[in-house]
Amino acid sequence: MTDQEQPVVLIAEDEQTIAEGYELWLSDQYEVRLTADGQEALDAVDDTVDVVLLDRMMPELSGEQVLREIRERAIDCRVAMVTAVEPDFDVVEMGFDAYITKPPERQELLDTIQQLLDRAGVDDAFQQYHSLMARRGALQAQKTEAELEQSEVYQDLLDRIESQRTEVDDNLGNMGAEVDFVSAVREVEDGDSGFDDVELGEGENFEDADTGDFETSEGSDD
Amino acid sequence: MTDAYDVSGALPGGDLDELPAGTNIVVVGPSMSGKQALALELLAAGYEDGDGILCISTESAEKVYTDLERHVDSLDRDRVGIVDTSGGDGTDLLDATIESISSPGDLTGISVSMAKLFRHFEDRGVSDIRYGLISISTLLQYLDSSKVFRFLHVYTKRIEETGGLGIYTLSNDSHDQQVVNTITGQFDGVIELRDTDSGEMEFRVRGLGRRPTAWEPF
């Protein structure tokens, strides 16, 4: 991975020593951009930024105000709040994608950033998954359950669906946590949903279904 | 937290007595076939035993509330929460906690409201929650099917991980058969309803890790 391909993490932290500590932990894997307050963070944030770490309590603009502005500008990035106070439900309502309690452990910080980056990649995983599920839906509409049970193509499809679902779920993170759940739904709502007629575009793999080639069709690979 | 939700009595016969915690089940049938009444019956079936009801509705909260009252003796706002996405003025009902959302297309708003009502229940010691989403068909009028598909995946996952019971309705005469199949493929189980030539209703149950049941009178 070249430097240009490293994900970008923007940090807004007014205490310089803390900010430099984060940078030390993160700079191996990420391109780190340091800003010292909310206004600097707003000036620096753009679509090249993947994850923003916002200190909750900063002079002038608070983390919450910065987040609101980022959302209003519809910048495609995930925002984690770094807070010394154990956050309440307000973090979810404000629209943060994650929170980290201060002072964070190194691993916790790395894990949180990785989870947010994974979630940002869920669009692609979803597109694959939906496509496979749509293919199954089409086969179910064309074939009887008995025919499907006999079909290797269909059983293979079920296996691929299972592994693709696992990938989607890994990207989503822990849906038992409210902040992750709302963040995942925001990702779905704001995300590129891809082509909606995915169902029709996949037809070549079971065009033969009516001709009896269905059981032996080798067209199951993309 | 419960291991299984009691749903005995919702369907005739003994096919469906209880559903394991984390199950998501969709009621599919033609328009006006009684899908919603059955969904509400499944939602209400544990209410007397202390389960909470958290219903996302594309109709007004009043409508859901009135319909729920047919299945439950007296509602209690600590255990009934409604996310009203009809865009109405969000009239607060005395015996239910209401969250109002301007449109069924506001998925993030729906998820925040749902998480908020979850906390509301949790604070009151209500841990067994039955979630309704009525209806998927209306969501499909506001959002493309790919978005609805993805939302339902996240939403069902949430219910699975929190040990709830998810109940959904979907019409199968207003959408393409393949879209219906693709969406119902996400659920653990499907209760299908159909009209017979003689005008009687029939049902069958698919999924839930068992062999499909035969069509039976409803």
Side-chain angles (χ1 to χ4, degrees), chain A residues 89 93 123 134 136-137 141 169 174-176 178 185 188-189 191-193 196 199, chain B residues 105 107-108 116 118-119 144-147 150 153 157-158 161 178 181-182 185:
Chain A
F89 191 67
E93 284 190 293
D123 268 358
R136 185 174 95 169
D169 289 343
N174 172 20
M175 292 299 93
E178 280 92 57
V185 173
V188 166
E189 188 176 0
D192 174 15
S193 62
D196 192 35
E199 296 85 357
Chain B
L107 298 178
T108 306
K116 203 192 263 184
F118 177 84
R119 284 281 179 100
D144 65 56
S145 71
S146 169
K147 221 152 242 196
R150 292 170 191 212
H153 181 83
K157 188 81 192 155
R158 162 82 184 166
E161 297 213 347
Q178 194 194 337
N181 287 350
T182 305

PDB file of all heavy atoms in Angstrom, chain A residues 89 93 123 134 136-137 141 169 174-176 178 185 188-189 191-193 196 199, chain B residues 105 107-108 116 118-119 144-147 150 153 157-158 161 178 181-182 185:
ATOM      1  N   PHE A  89     -27.248   8.874  25.484  1.00  0.00           N
ATOM      2  CA  PHE A  89     -27.882   8.648  24.185  1.00  0.00           C
ATOM      3  C   PHE A  89     -27.721   9.842  23.241  1.00  0.00           C
ATOM      4  O   PHE A  89     -27.873   9.711  22.033  1.00  0.00           O
ATOM      5  CB  PHE A  89     -29.362   8.337  24.403  1.00  0.00           C
ATOM      6  CG  PHE A  89     -30.044   7.847  23.179  1.00  0.00           C
ATOM      7  CD1 PHE A  89     -29.710   6.623  22.629  1.00  0.00           C
ATOM      8  CD2 PHE A  89     -31.012   8.616  22.552  1.00  0.00           C
ATOM      9  CE1 PHE A  89     -30.325   6.164  21.477  1.00  0.00           C
ATOM     10  CE2 PHE A  89     -31.634   8.171  21.399  1.00  0.00           C
ATOM     11  CZ  PHE A  89     -31.293   6.944  20.877  1.00  0.00           C
ATOM     12  N   GLU A  93     -28.138  10.591  19.019  1.00  0.00           N
ATOM     13  CA  GLU A  93     -29.042  11.584  18.428  1.00  0.00           C
ATOM     14  C   GLU A  93     -28.295  12.659  17.653  1.00  0.00           C
ATOM     15  O   GLU A  93     -28.769  13.147  16.641  1.00  0.00           O
ATOM     16  CB  GLU A  93     -29.872  12.245  19.528  1.00  0.00           C
ATOM     17  CG  GLU A  93     -30.977  11.344  20.029  1.00  0.00           C
ATOM     18  CD  GLU A  93     -31.948  12.087  20.929  1.00  0.00           C
ATOM     19  OE1 GLU A  93     -31.500  12.489  22.021  1.00  0.00           O
ATOM     20  OE2 GLU A  93     -33.104  12.258  20.543  1.00  0.00           O
ATOM     21  N   ASP A 123     -21.176  -0.688   1.248  1.00  0.00           N
ATOM     22  CA  ASP A 123     -21.928  -0.521  -0.003  1.00  0.00           C
ATOM     23  C   ASP A 123     -21.598  -1.610  -1.018  1.00  0.00           C
ATOM     24  O   ASP A 123     -22.487  -2.220  -1.610  1.00  0.00           O
ATOM     25  CB  ASP A 123     -21.588   0.838  -0.641  1.00  0.00           C
ATOM     26  CG  ASP A 123     -22.558   1.923  -0.194  1.00  0.00           C
ATOM     27  OD1 ASP A 123     -23.489   1.607   0.570  1.00  0.00           O
ATOM     28  OD2 ASP A 123     -22.372   3.073  -0.613  1.00  0.00           O
ATOM     29  N   ALA A 134     -31.005 -11.653  -5.086  1.00  0.00           N
ATOM     30  CA  ALA A 134     -31.951 -11.435  -6.173  1.00  0.00           C
ATOM     31  C   ALA A 134     -31.942 -12.632  -7.126  1.00  0.00           C
ATOM     32  O   ALA A 134     -32.981 -13.047  -7.646  1.00  0.00           O
ATOM     33  CB  ALA A 134     -31.605 -10.156  -6.919  1.00  0.00           C
ATOM     34  N   ARG A 136     -31.273 -15.686  -6.262  1.00  0.00           N
ATOM     35  CA  ARG A 136     -32.038 -16.721  -5.569  1.00  0.00           C
ATOM     36  C   ARG A 136     -33.543 -16.466  -5.697  1.00  0.00           C
ATOM     37  O   ARG A 136     -34.316 -17.386  -5.951  1.00  0.00           O
ATOM     38  CB  ARG A 136     -31.648 -16.763  -4.082  1.00  0.00           C
ATOM     39  CG  ARG A 136     -32.336 -17.893  -3.356  1.00  0.00           C
ATOM     40  CD  ARG A 136     -31.871 -18.039  -1.934  1.00  0.00           C
ATOM     41  NE  ARG A 136     -32.756 -17.332  -1.018  1.00  0.00           N
ATOM     42  CZ  ARG A 136     -32.715 -17.454   0.319  1.00  0.00           C
ATOM     43  NH1 ARG A 136     -31.819 -18.215   0.882  1.00  0.00           N
ATOM     44  NH2 ARG A 136     -33.539 -16.801   1.068  1.00  0.00           N
ATOM     45  N   GLY A 137     -33.920 -15.183  -5.555  1.00  0.00           N
ATOM     46  CA  GLY A 137     -35.339 -14.823  -5.677  1.00  0.00           C
ATOM     47  C   GLY A 137     -35.893 -15.181  -7.047  1.00  0.00           C
ATOM     48  O   GLY A 137     -37.024 -15.655  -7.177  1.00  0.00           O
ATOM     49  N   ALA A 141     -38.737 -18.066  -8.079  1.00  0.00           N
ATOM     50  CA  ALA A 141     -39.939 -17.746  -8.853  1.00  0.00           C
ATOM     51  C   ALA A 141     -40.105 -18.698 -10.034  1.00  0.00           C
ATOM     52  O   ALA A 141     -41.211 -18.915 -10.513  1.00  0.00           O
ATOM     53  CB  ALA A 141     -39.866 -16.296  -9.331  1.00  0.00           C
ATOM     54  N   ASP A 169     -21.988  -8.440   7.345  1.00  0.00           N
ATOM     55  CA  ASP A 169     -22.144  -8.280   8.793  1.00  0.00           C
ATOM     56  C   ASP A 169     -20.844  -7.847   9.469  1.00  0.00           C
ATOM     57  O   ASP A 169     -20.867  -7.043  10.407  1.00  0.00           O
ATOM     58  CB  ASP A 169     -22.660  -9.584   9.414  1.00  0.00           C
ATOM     59  CG  ASP A 169     -24.116  -9.838   9.041  1.00  0.00           C
ATOM     60  OD1 ASP A 169     -24.777  -8.874   8.594  1.00  0.00           O
ATOM     61  OD2 ASP A 169     -24.591 -10.972   9.187  1.00  0.00           O
ATOM     62  N   ASN A 174     -21.126  -4.260  15.299  1.00  0.00           N
ATOM     63  CA  ASN A 174     -22.043  -4.794  16.311  1.00  0.00           C
ATOM     64  C   ASN A 174     -23.380  -4.059  16.305  1.00  0.00           C
ATOM     65  O   ASN A 174     -23.496  -2.962  16.855  1.00  0.00           O
ATOM     66  CB  ASN A 174     -21.377  -4.670  17.688  1.00  0.00           C
ATOM     67  CG  ASN A 174     -22.330  -5.017  18.812  1.00  0.00           C
ATOM     68  OD1 ASN A 174     -23.347  -5.683  18.596  1.00  0.00           O
ATOM     69  ND2 ASN A 174     -22.011  -4.560  20.014  1.00  0.00           N
ATOM     70  N   MET A 175     -24.395  -4.684  15.708  1.00  0.00           N
ATOM     71  CA  MET A 175     -25.685  -4.011  15.605  1.00  0.00           C
ATOM     72  C   MET A 175     -26.457  -4.005  16.928  1.00  0.00           C
ATOM     73  O   MET A 175     -27.519  -3.404  17.032  1.00  0.00           O
ATOM     74  CB  MET A 175     -26.534  -4.636  14.485  1.00  0.00           C
ATOM     75  CG  MET A 175     -26.000  -4.389  13.089  1.00  0.00           C
ATOM     76  SD  MET A 175     -25.906  -2.637  12.615  1.00  0.00           S
ATOM     77  CE  MET A 175     -24.247  -2.179  13.061  1.00  0.00           C
ATOM     78  N   GLY A 176     -25.919  -4.675  17.926  1.00  0.00           N
ATOM     79  CA  GLY A 176     -26.526  -4.602  19.251  1.00  0.00           C
ATOM     80  C   GLY A 176     -26.274  -3.262  19.939  1.00  0.00           C
ATOM     81  O   GLY A 176     -26.976  -2.906  20.876  1.00  0.00           O
ATOM     82  N   GLU A 178     -26.392   0.753  20.003  1.00  0.00           N
ATOM     83  CA  GLU A 178     -27.234   1.759  19.332  1.00  0.00           C
ATOM     84  C   GLU A 178     -26.438   2.658  18.380  1.00  0.00           C
ATOM     85  O   GLU A 178     -26.880   2.952  17.281  1.00  0.00           O
ATOM     86  CB  GLU A 178     -27.949   2.645  20.358  1.00  0.00           C
ATOM     87  CG  GLU A 178     -29.176   2.006  20.964  1.00  0.00           C
ATOM     88  CD  GLU A 178     -28.847   1.252  22.243  1.00  0.00           C
ATOM     89  OE1 GLU A 178     -28.307   1.874  23.158  1.00  0.00           O
ATOM     90  OE2 GLU A 178     -29.119   0.045  22.306  1.00  0.00           O
ATOM     91  N   VAL A 185     -27.361   2.408   9.575  1.00  0.00           N
ATOM     92  CA  VAL A 185     -28.536   2.822   8.797  1.00  0.00           C
ATOM     93  C   VAL A 185     -28.223   4.106   8.020  1.00  0.00           C
ATOM     94  O   VAL A 185     -28.624   4.258   6.865  1.00  0.00           O
ATOM     95  CB  VAL A 185     -29.777   3.011   9.703  1.00  0.00           C
ATOM     96  CG1 VAL A 185     -30.935   3.614   8.915  1.00  0.00           C
ATOM     97  CG2 VAL A 185     -30.203   1.677  10.307  1.00  0.00           C
ATOM     98  N   VAL A 188     -26.479   3.188   4.964  1.00  0.00           N
ATOM     99  CA  VAL A 188     -27.417   2.659   3.961  1.00  0.00           C
ATOM    100  C   VAL A 188     -28.188   3.801   3.302  1.00  0.00           C
ATOM    101  O   VAL A 188     -28.328   3.854   2.085  1.00  0.00           O
ATOM    102  CB  VAL A 188     -28.413   1.669   4.620  1.00  0.00           C
ATOM    103  CG1 VAL A 188     -29.592   1.394   3.694  1.00  0.00           C
ATOM    104  CG2 VAL A 188     -27.714   0.372   4.994  1.00  0.00           C
ATOM    105  N   GLU A 189     -28.661   4.735   4.122  1.00  0.00           N
ATOM    106  CA  GLU A 189     -29.493   5.807   3.567  1.00  0.00           C
ATOM    107  C   GLU A 189     -28.687   6.732   2.659  1.00  0.00           C
ATOM    108  O   GLU A 189     -29.149   7.130   1.597  1.00  0.00           O
ATOM    109  CB  GLU A 189     -30.143   6.618   4.686  1.00  0.00           C
ATOM    110  CG  GLU A 189     -31.163   7.606   4.119  1.00  0.00           C
ATOM    111  CD  GLU A 189     -31.928   8.381   5.182  1.00  0.00           C
ATOM    112  OE1 GLU A 189     -31.695   8.169   6.383  1.00  0.00           O
ATOM    113  OE2 GLU A 189     -32.765   9.205   4.791  1.00  0.00           O
ATOM    114  N   GLY A 191     -25.747   6.023   1.333  1.00  0.00           N
ATOM    115  CA  GLY A 191     -24.863   5.314   0.423  1.00  0.00           C
ATOM    116  C   GLY A 191     -25.415   5.219  -0.980  1.00  0.00           C
ATOM    117  O   GLY A 191     -26.579   5.488  -1.239  1.00  0.00           O
ATOM    118  N   ASP A 192     -24.534   4.829  -1.869  1.00  0.00           N
ATOM    119  CA  ASP A 192     -24.917   4.594  -3.248  1.00  0.00           C
ATOM    120  C   ASP A 192     -25.553   3.213  -3.304  1.00  0.00           C
ATOM    121  O   ASP A 192     -24.909   2.214  -3.028  1.00  0.00           O
ATOM    122  CB  ASP A 192     -23.651   4.651  -4.110  1.00  0.00           C
ATOM    123  CG  ASP A 192     -23.935   4.277  -5.537  1.00  0.00           C
ATOM    124  OD1 ASP A 192     -25.124   4.258  -5.907  1.00  0.00           O
ATOM    125  OD2 ASP A 192     -22.976   3.992  -6.264  1.00  0.00           O
ATOM    126  N   SER A 193     -26.830   3.164  -3.647  1.00  0.00           N
ATOM    127  CA  SER A 193     -27.501   1.873  -3.590  1.00  0.00           C
ATOM    128  C   SER A 193     -27.257   1.057  -4.852  1.00  0.00           C
ATOM    129  O   SER A 193     -27.769  -0.032  -5.002  1.00  0.00           O
ATOM    130  CB  SER A 193     -28.998   2.044  -3.347  1.00  0.00           C
ATOM    131  OG  SER A 193     -29.574   2.753  -4.396  1.00  0.00           O
ATOM    132  N   ASP A 196     -30.680  -0.500  -9.394  1.00  0.00           N
ATOM    133  CA  ASP A 196     -31.833  -1.112  -8.741  1.00  0.00           C
ATOM    134  C   ASP A 196     -32.337  -2.328  -9.504  1.00  0.00           C
ATOM    135  O   ASP A 196     -32.976  -3.195  -8.958  1.00  0.00           O
ATOM    136  CB  ASP A 196     -32.959  -0.089  -8.609  1.00  0.00           C
ATOM    137  CG  ASP A 196     -34.046  -0.593  -7.675  1.00  0.00           C
ATOM    138  OD1 ASP A 196     -33.695  -1.287  -6.702  1.00  0.00           O
ATOM    139  OD2 ASP A 196     -35.216  -0.314  -7.936  1.00  0.00           O
ATOM    140  N   GLU A 199     -31.646  -7.326 -10.351  1.00  0.00           N
ATOM    141  CA  GLU A 199     -32.320  -8.605 -10.560  1.00  0.00           C
ATOM    142  C   GLU A 199     -32.250  -9.024 -12.034  1.00  0.00           C
ATOM    143  O   GLU A 199     -32.061 -10.169 -12.357  1.00  0.00           O
ATOM    144  CB  GLU A 199     -33.793  -8.514 -10.149  1.00  0.00           C
ATOM    145  CG  GLU A 199     -34.008  -8.253  -8.671  1.00  0.00           C
ATOM    146  CD  GLU A 199     -33.963  -6.774  -8.311  1.00  0.00           C
ATOM    147  OE1 GLU A 199     -33.700  -5.960  -9.237  1.00  0.00           O
ATOM    148  OE2 GLU A 199     -34.169  -6.437  -7.145  1.00  0.00           O
TER     149      GLU A 199
ATOM    150  N   GLY B 105     -39.268   7.479   4.239  1.00  0.00           N
ATOM    151  CA  GLY B 105     -37.963   7.439   3.584  1.00  0.00           C
ATOM    152  C   GLY B 105     -36.822   7.894   4.490  1.00  0.00           C
ATOM    153  O   GLY B 105     -35.651   7.739   4.144  1.00  0.00           O
ATOM    154  N   LEU B 107     -34.800   6.933   6.856  1.00  0.00           N
ATOM    155  CA  LEU B 107     -34.369   5.703   7.537  1.00  0.00           C
ATOM    156  C   LEU B 107     -33.525   5.999   8.771  1.00  0.00           C
ATOM    157  O   LEU B 107     -33.647   5.320   9.800  1.00  0.00           O
ATOM    158  CB  LEU B 107     -33.575   4.823   6.563  1.00  0.00           C
ATOM    159  CG  LEU B 107     -34.341   4.332   5.337  1.00  0.00           C
ATOM    160  CD1 LEU B 107     -33.422   3.510   4.436  1.00  0.00           C
ATOM    161  CD2 LEU B 107     -35.549   3.500   5.748  1.00  0.00           C
ATOM    162  N   THR B 108     -32.666   7.019   8.665  1.00  0.00           N
ATOM    163  CA  THR B 108     -31.841   7.361   9.827  1.00  0.00           C
ATOM    164  C   THR B 108     -32.725   7.831  10.980  1.00  0.00           C
ATOM    165  O   THR B 108     -32.526   7.421  12.134  1.00  0.00           O
ATOM    166  CB  THR B 108     -30.806   8.451   9.461  1.00  0.00           C
ATOM    167  OG1 THR B 108     -30.058   7.997   8.329  1.00  0.00           O
ATOM    168  CG2 THR B 108     -29.864   8.715  10.614  1.00  0.00           C
ATOM    169  N   LYS B 116     -34.069   5.035  20.525  1.00  0.00           N
ATOM    170  CA  LYS B 116     -34.536   5.830  21.651  1.00  0.00           C
ATOM    171  C   LYS B 116     -35.640   5.067  22.430  1.00  0.00           C
ATOM    172  O   LYS B 116     -35.607   4.995  23.657  1.00  0.00           O
ATOM    173  CB  LYS B 116     -35.096   7.152  21.116  1.00  0.00           C
ATOM    174  CG  LYS B 116     -35.107   8.273  22.134  1.00  0.00           C
ATOM    175  CD  LYS B 116     -35.926   9.431  21.621  1.00  0.00           C
ATOM    176  CE  LYS B 116     -35.075  10.502  20.974  1.00  0.00           C
ATOM    177  NZ  LYS B 116     -35.891  11.671  20.561  1.00  0.00           N
ATOM    178  N   PHE B 118     -36.058   1.905  22.421  1.00  0.00           N
ATOM    179  CA  PHE B 118     -35.385   0.755  23.024  1.00  0.00           C
ATOM    180  C   PHE B 118     -34.821   1.135  24.391  1.00  0.00           C
ATOM    181  O   PHE B 118     -34.998   0.419  25.380  1.00  0.00           O
ATOM    182  CB  PHE B 118     -34.271   0.281  22.088  1.00  0.00           C
ATOM    183  CG  PHE B 118     -33.458  -0.866  22.626  1.00  0.00           C
ATOM    184  CD1 PHE B 118     -33.898  -2.172  22.479  1.00  0.00           C
ATOM    185  CD2 PHE B 118     -32.249  -0.632  23.273  1.00  0.00           C
ATOM    186  CE1 PHE B 118     -33.145  -3.225  22.980  1.00  0.00           C
ATOM    187  CE2 PHE B 118     -31.496  -1.679  23.772  1.00  0.00           C
ATOM    188  CZ  PHE B 118     -31.944  -2.979  23.630  1.00  0.00           C
ATOM    189  N   ARG B 119     -34.158   2.289  24.441  1.00  0.00           N
ATOM    190  CA  ARG B 119     -33.621   2.792  25.712  1.00  0.00           C
ATOM    191  C   ARG B 119     -34.741   3.054  26.719  1.00  0.00           C
ATOM    192  O   ARG B 119     -34.614   2.761  27.907  1.00  0.00           O
ATOM    193  CB  ARG B 119     -32.858   4.105  25.480  1.00  0.00           C
ATOM    194  CG  ARG B 119     -31.504   3.924  24.857  1.00  0.00           C
ATOM    195  CD  ARG B 119     -30.487   3.494  25.907  1.00  0.00           C
ATOM    196  NE  ARG B 119     -29.179   3.281  25.336  1.00  0.00           N
ATOM    197  CZ  ARG B 119     -28.186   4.167  25.393  1.00  0.00           C
ATOM    198  NH1 ARG B 119     -28.372   5.321  25.994  1.00  0.00           N
ATOM    199  NH2 ARG B 119     -27.022   3.905  24.841  1.00  0.00           N
ATOM    200  N   ASP B 144     -36.031   2.906  -3.264  1.00  0.00           N
ATOM    201  CA  ASP B 144     -35.831   1.820  -4.222  1.00  0.00           C
ATOM    202  C   ASP B 144     -35.591   0.506  -3.477  1.00  0.00           C
ATOM    203  O   ASP B 144     -35.218   0.503  -2.305  1.00  0.00           O
ATOM    204  CB  ASP B 144     -34.726   2.143  -5.231  1.00  0.00           C
ATOM    205  CG  ASP B 144     -33.372   2.274  -4.592  1.00  0.00           C
ATOM    206  OD1 ASP B 144     -32.943   1.315  -3.916  1.00  0.00           O
ATOM    207  OD2 ASP B 144     -32.736   3.323  -4.769  1.00  0.00           O
ATOM    208  N   SER B 145     -35.844  -0.586  -4.161  1.00  0.00           N
ATOM    209  CA  SER B 145     -35.873  -1.881  -3.474  1.00  0.00           C
ATOM    210  C   SER B 145     -34.498  -2.242  -2.915  1.00  0.00           C
ATOM    211  O   SER B 145     -34.388  -2.939  -1.909  1.00  0.00           O
ATOM    212  CB  SER B 145     -36.388  -2.980  -4.402  1.00  0.00           C
ATOM    213  OG  SER B 145     -35.442  -3.279  -5.385  1.00  0.00           O
ATOM    214  N   SER B 146     -33.440  -1.736  -3.545  1.00  0.00           N
ATOM    215  CA  SER B 146     -32.103  -2.022  -3.052  1.00  0.00           C
ATOM    216  C   SER B 146     -31.882  -1.393  -1.677  1.00  0.00           C
ATOM    217  O   SER B 146     -31.286  -1.993  -0.780  1.00  0.00           O
ATOM    218  CB  SER B 146     -31.092  -1.486  -4.064  1.00  0.00           C
ATOM    219  OG  SER B 146     -29.814  -1.505  -3.524  1.00  0.00           O
ATOM    220  N   LYS B 147     -32.393  -0.176  -1.508  1.00  0.00           N
ATOM    221  CA  LYS B 147     -32.238   0.501  -0.225  1.00  0.00           C
ATOM    222  C   LYS B 147     -33.090  -0.187   0.855  1.00  0.00           C
ATOM    223  O   LYS B 147     -32.650  -0.361   1.994  1.00  0.00           O
ATOM    224  CB  LYS B 147     -32.626   1.974  -0.367  1.00  0.00           C
ATOM    225  CG  LYS B 147     -31.689   2.870   0.391  1.00  0.00           C
ATOM    226  CD  LYS B 147     -31.571   4.253  -0.188  1.00  0.00           C
ATOM    227  CE  LYS B 147     -30.144   4.482  -0.617  1.00  0.00           C
ATOM    228  NZ  LYS B 147     -29.816   5.875  -0.839  1.00  0.00           N
ATOM    229  N   ARG B 150     -31.351  -3.333   1.932  1.00  0.00           N
ATOM    230  CA  ARG B 150     -30.215  -3.094   2.836  1.00  0.00           C
ATOM    231  C   ARG B 150     -30.679  -2.676   4.219  1.00  0.00           C
ATOM    232  O   ARG B 150     -30.133  -3.127   5.230  1.00  0.00           O
ATOM    233  CB  ARG B 150     -29.314  -1.998   2.240  1.00  0.00           C
ATOM    234  CG  ARG B 150     -28.616  -2.455   0.989  1.00  0.00           C
ATOM    235  CD  ARG B 150     -27.922  -1.307   0.283  1.00  0.00           C
ATOM    236  NE  ARG B 150     -27.506  -1.750  -1.040  1.00  0.00           N
ATOM    237  CZ  ARG B 150     -26.437  -1.308  -1.667  1.00  0.00           C
ATOM    238  NH1 ARG B 150     -25.681  -0.395  -1.112  1.00  0.00           N
ATOM    239  NH2 ARG B 150     -26.125  -1.755  -2.861  1.00  0.00           N
ATOM    240  N   HIS B 153     -31.867  -5.585   6.126  1.00  0.00           N
ATOM    241  CA  HIS B 153     -30.767  -6.421   6.614  1.00  0.00           C
ATOM    242  C   HIS B 153     -30.221  -5.876   7.932  1.00  0.00           C
ATOM    243  O   HIS B 153     -30.041  -6.614   8.898  1.00  0.00           O
ATOM    244  CB  HIS B 153     -29.645  -6.529   5.584  1.00  0.00           C
ATOM    245  CG  HIS B 153     -28.520  -7.384   6.052  1.00  0.00           C
ATOM    246  ND1 HIS B 153     -28.553  -8.755   5.938  1.00  0.00           N
ATOM    247  CD2 HIS B 153     -27.383  -7.088   6.712  1.00  0.00           C
ATOM    248  CE1 HIS B 153     -27.463  -9.264   6.506  1.00  0.00           C
ATOM    249  NE2 HIS B 153     -26.733  -8.269   6.977  1.00  0.00           N
ATOM    250  N   LYS B 157     -30.865  -7.568  11.655  1.00  0.00           N
ATOM    251  CA  LYS B 157     -29.646  -7.907  12.395  1.00  0.00           C
ATOM    252  C   LYS B 157     -29.692  -7.310  13.811  1.00  0.00           C
ATOM    253  O   LYS B 157     -29.307  -7.942  14.790  1.00  0.00           O
ATOM    254  CB  LYS B 157     -28.444  -7.346  11.620  1.00  0.00           C
ATOM    255  CG  LYS B 157     -27.113  -7.777  12.142  1.00  0.00           C
ATOM    256  CD  LYS B 157     -26.762  -9.162  11.652  1.00  0.00           C
ATOM    257  CE  LYS B 157     -25.566  -9.674  12.433  1.00  0.00           C
ATOM    258  NZ  LYS B 157     -25.514 -11.121  12.464  1.00  0.00           N
ATOM    259  N   ARG B 158     -30.150  -6.101  13.877  1.00  0.00           N
ATOM    260  CA  ARG B 158     -30.308  -5.423  15.168  1.00  0.00           C
ATOM    261  C   ARG B 158     -31.238  -6.239  16.090  1.00  0.00           C
ATOM    262  O   ARG B 158     -30.943  -6.457  17.257  1.00  0.00           O
ATOM    263  CB  ARG B 158     -30.873  -4.019  14.922  1.00  0.00           C
ATOM    264  CG  ARG B 158     -31.482  -3.334  16.120  1.00  0.00           C
ATOM    265  CD  ARG B 158     -30.444  -2.685  16.993  1.00  0.00           C
ATOM    266  NE  ARG B 158     -31.044  -2.112  18.194  1.00  0.00           N
ATOM    267  CZ  ARG B 158     -30.363  -1.722  19.253  1.00  0.00           C
ATOM    268  NH1 ARG B 158     -29.062  -1.829  19.268  1.00  0.00           N
ATOM    269  NH2 ARG B 158     -30.960  -1.226  20.295  1.00  0.00           N
ATOM    270  N   GLU B 161     -29.571  -9.449  17.229  1.00  0.00           N
ATOM    271  CA  GLU B 161     -28.514  -9.283  18.237  1.00  0.00           C
ATOM    272  C   GLU B 161     -29.027  -8.807  19.585  1.00  0.00           C
ATOM    273  O   GLU B 161     -28.357  -8.974  20.592  1.00  0.00           O
ATOM    274  CB  GLU B 161     -27.433  -8.322  17.707  1.00  0.00           C
ATOM    275  CG  GLU B 161     -26.765  -8.898  16.472  1.00  0.00           C
ATOM    276  CD  GLU B 161     -25.305  -8.532  16.344  1.00  0.00           C
ATOM    277  OE1 GLU B 161     -24.848  -7.636  17.060  1.00  0.00           O
ATOM    278  OE2 GLU B 161     -24.644  -9.163  15.513  1.00  0.00           O
ATOM    279  N   GLN B 178     -40.237 -11.426  -8.030  1.00  0.00           N
ATOM    280  CA  GLN B 178     -38.828 -11.604  -7.660  1.00  0.00           C
ATOM    281  C   GLN B 178     -38.399 -10.658  -6.546  1.00  0.00           C
ATOM    282  O   GLN B 178     -37.615 -11.032  -5.675  1.00  0.00           O
ATOM    283  CB  GLN B 178     -37.949 -11.390  -8.890  1.00  0.00           C
ATOM    284  CG  GLN B 178     -36.545 -11.889  -8.625  1.00  0.00           C
ATOM    285  CD  GLN B 178     -35.571 -11.416  -9.642  1.00  0.00           C
ATOM    286  OE1 GLN B 178     -35.933 -11.071 -10.755  1.00  0.00           O
ATOM    287  NE2 GLN B 178     -34.312 -11.390  -9.258  1.00  0.00           N
ATOM    288  N   ASN B 181     -39.683 -12.186  -3.421  1.00  0.00           N
ATOM    289  CA  ASN B 181     -38.833 -13.321  -3.022  1.00  0.00           C
ATOM    290  C   ASN B 181     -37.502 -12.846  -2.439  1.00  0.00           C
ATOM    291  O   ASN B 181     -37.013 -13.394  -1.454  1.00  0.00           O
ATOM    292  CB  ASN B 181     -38.515 -14.210  -4.231  1.00  0.00           C
ATOM    293  CG  ASN B 181     -39.708 -15.033  -4.671  1.00  0.00           C
ATOM    294  OD1 ASN B 181     -40.716 -15.090  -3.971  1.00  0.00           O
ATOM    295  ND2 ASN B 181     -39.599 -15.651  -5.825  1.00  0.00           N
ATOM    296  N   THR B 182     -36.908 -11.856  -3.081  1.00  0.00           N
ATOM    297  CA  THR B 182     -35.599 -11.369  -2.637  1.00  0.00           C
ATOM    298  C   THR B 182     -35.703 -10.797  -1.235  1.00  0.00           C
ATOM    299  O   THR B 182     -34.855 -11.047  -0.383  1.00  0.00           O
ATOM    300  CB  THR B 182     -35.071 -10.295  -3.613  1.00  0.00           C
ATOM    301  OG1 THR B 182     -35.063 -10.839  -4.930  1.00  0.00           O
ATOM    302  CG2 THR B 182     -33.660  -9.861  -3.231  1.00  0.00           C
ATOM    303  N   GLY B 185     -36.531 -13.448   1.418  1.00  0.00           N
ATOM    304  CA  GLY B 185     -35.360 -14.299   1.641  1.00  0.00           C
ATOM    305  C   GLY B 185     -34.505 -13.857   2.815  1.00  0.00           C
ATOM    306  O   GLY B 185     -33.667 -14.613   3.303  1.00  0.00           O
TER     307      GLY B 185
END
